[in-house]
Amino acid sequence: MAEKPSEDPRGSEGPKDSADDLWEKFVRDSELDIRTSDAPKEPSARARMVTERLRHQDARGEAPPGWRTGPALQGMNGRPARRRKLWAIIGLPLALAVALVAMKPSLLPGDPFGTGSTGGTGTESAAPLPEETAPPSTAPSSAPGTPTLDRPFAGSPAARYADGAAGIVLPEATAVGSFSKDQVGQALKQTKALLVDANLDRKTLLGGTPETVLDILDPKQPRMLADARYWLRKPDKQNDPLLLFSRFDKDEVRLVGDVVKTRGRLTFERGENGSVVVHADYTFVYAVAPADPDSTEVTRVIVRRIIETELADPTRFQVTPGKLLVVRFDQDLANSACGIYDGYMHPQFDSGITQGPPPTGPMVDPYDRSRDIQNSDTETCGTVSRT
């Protein structure tokens, strides 16, 4: 006979009683586990205060300050985090770049720190020289670098010279003697035009006839204009057009780029017998390469010229109004073969065979504008210290 189930003191039926028993057992076991474990202590007063403050901030929709961001970066919808990621990506390369520029500031274009020097690669990134207003007292410092087809003036003080005619700056004209300000100004412009046509014009440089120069010269000056024309037609040792003009043999060399570097000054003063004398002292630097289009070798030719023109009083002398007399022309040609009188400059390349006799004169720095120019009548053929 089956035993009758015992009655539950709570008056519940069997299945329900079983569930209640299980629940009570769970509660008893849980309390026992809690008592036997490291139960957390009651929160401190400060913890309760912080919890209460956070609860109120959350109710007001406020967010607590981030420990990496600070209050100023709140309300930016996560953008500070993306900014920090971006810095993590570019930070190391940027730090390396900053360190490199700190060690070598010339790597930045335009010489922003005013170092006034070219970088070790010989780039023409140095600041241009200010206008020359007085004779220099020393030679320019060395410039590192090697000339290339892309940077033909690298390694040369000329990298900081002006480009072409921009380097021939006219002084402000004033009246001199019987000549008005405008007449003096015209003489200055004509002298500049003579320098440009004789030393910068591409047609002249490649062996053409400098017509502008010939038009400026006074035909009444004994032999000057006739001599200049003869020099161009039949050059020889006694009739050398290089005395007045810069010319290259286009079958031998080619000009590199469109720029001739120019450095110097132009002044004027009252001459004897009420004339106006214009004094020009300029250095022209030419970058050239062999005529062979496949050649990449580049060298430079440096020409310094001192020329004086004169505006004479037509009431006292037999001269042509509006024309100029040439009363002095001296030049130094650097890195051009000696003993060749065909009317052209012949640059010397490291890879080529030296033309003409070897130089016998002293070594000269062609960029040193503080020295006196060598007289054109001497037979000295010196050695250049740099090109």
Side-chain angles (χ1 to χ4, degrees):
M1 183 172 199
E3 184 177 356
K4 183 179 179 180
S6 61
E7 296 181 356
D8 185 85
R10 293 168 295 185
S12 301
E13 296 179 358
K16 183 177 180 180
D17 291 343
S18 176
D20 290 340
D21 291 342
L22 292 174
W23 172 253
E24 290 176 359
K25 183 177 184 304
F26 171 78
V27 171
R28 288 194 302 270
D29 292 344
S30 298
E31 290 175 348
L32 179 62
D33 291 339
I34 292 173
R35 286 193 298 267
T36 59
S37 65
D38 295 331
K41 297 180 180 180
E42 180 181 358
S44 65
R46 175 175 176 79
R48 290 195 301 272
M49 180 181 66
V50 171
T51 301
E52 185 68 12
R53 187 183 73 232
L54 293 176
R55 186 175 65 81
H56 287 300
Q57 286 181 341
D58 185 64
R60 293 194 300 268
E62 297 176 357
W67 72 280
R68 289 287 190 187
T69 60
L73 295 182
Q74 297 304 317
M76 299 182 68
N77 299 322
R79 281 177 290 176
R82 288 197 297 272
R83 182 178 300 169
R84 288 194 298 273
K85 278 186 178 181
L86 179 62
W87 174 257
I89 294 171
I90 69 172
L92 180 58
L94 183 59
L96 292 175
V98 170
L100 182 60
V101 169
M103 292 186 292
K104 201 168 188 178
S106 60
L107 292 176
L108 288 178
D111 194 27
F113 303 117
T115 59
S117 62
T118 58
T121 59
T123 59
E124 282 89 4
S125 61
L129 290 172
E131 176 188 345
E132 184 178 288
T133 57
S137 58
T138 60
S141 59
S142 61
T146 301
T148 65
L149 292 175
D150 292 331
R151 300 187 180 277
F153 299 102
S156 162
R160 301 183 64 195
Y161 289 4
D163 293 352
I168 304 176
V169 181
L170 300 183
E172 183 178 356
T174 59
V176 175
S178 62
F179 294 100
S180 67
K181 175 181 177 180
D182 289 342
Q183 289 175 309
V184 173
Q186 180 63 17
L188 295 174
K189 293 177 182 178
Q190 287 177 307
T191 303
K192 178 175 180 175
L194 185 154
L195 292 168
V196 170
D197 195 39
N199 301 280
L200 300 174
D201 182 80
R202 196 171 187 87
K203 185 182 74 172
T204 300
L205 295 179
L206 295 177
T209 301
E211 297 292 349
T212 299
V213 174
L214 300 178
D215 186 60
I216 289 173
L217 300 181
D218 192 340
K220 293 184 179 181
Q221 182 178 2
R223 301 189 60 180
M224 184 66 226
L225 181 57
D227 282 355
R229 291 187 182 278
Y230 187 80
W231 298 344
L232 292 167
R233 289 198 309 269
K234 294 185 177 182
D236 58 30
K237 186 175 181 179
Q238 302 302 323
N239 303 281
D240 192 351
L242 299 182
L243 294 173
L244 199 59
F245 312 113
S246 296
R247 305 167 80 232
F248 296 95
D249 184 350
K250 59 185 178 181
D251 293 329
E252 179 185 335
V253 300
R254 69 185 192 271
L255 300 175
V256 178
D258 299 323
V259 173
V260 175
K261 290 293 187 175
T262 306
R263 181 72 177 163
R265 62 191 180 280
L266 192 147
T267 59
F268 69 95
E269 61 184 353
R270 182 188 177 102
E272 296 180 0
N273 302 313
S275 67
V276 179
V277 176
V278 180
H279 179 88
D281 182 348
Y282 283 90
T283 297
F284 303 96
V285 184
Y286 306 93
V288 295
D292 179 2
D294 294 329
S295 176
T296 60
E297 185 177 7
V298 177
T299 191
R300 290 178 288 259
V301 175
I302 304 96
V303 178
R304 183 181 175 190
R305 296 192 184 277
I306 293 180
I307 294 178
E308 289 183 355
T309 62
E310 186 173 21
L311 183 63
D313 187 349
T315 64
R316 304 178 63 179
F317 300 95
Q318 292 184 1
V319 294
T320 305
K323 301 291 185 178
L324 294 180
L325 308 173
V326 177
V327 295
R328 179 188 176 187
F329 50 95
D330 287 322
Q331 83 289 327
D332 270 349
L333 310 181
N335 194 29
S336 180
C338 301
I340 300 178
Y341 302 100
D342 59 357
Y344 299 112
M345 293 184 288
H346 296 276
Q348 304 297 283
F349 294 93
D350 291 339
S351 62
I353 300 175
T354 302
Q355 301 186 59
T360 58
M363 181 171 290
V364 176
D365 181 357
Y367 292 101
D368 184 3
R369 293 184 45 77
S370 66
R371 65 181 178 86
D372 291 334
I373 195 170
Q374 179 182 323
N375 188 282
S376 303
D377 294 333
T378 65
E379 294 291 336
T380 304
C381 184
T383 304
V384 292
S385 61
R386 54 180 171 173
T387 61

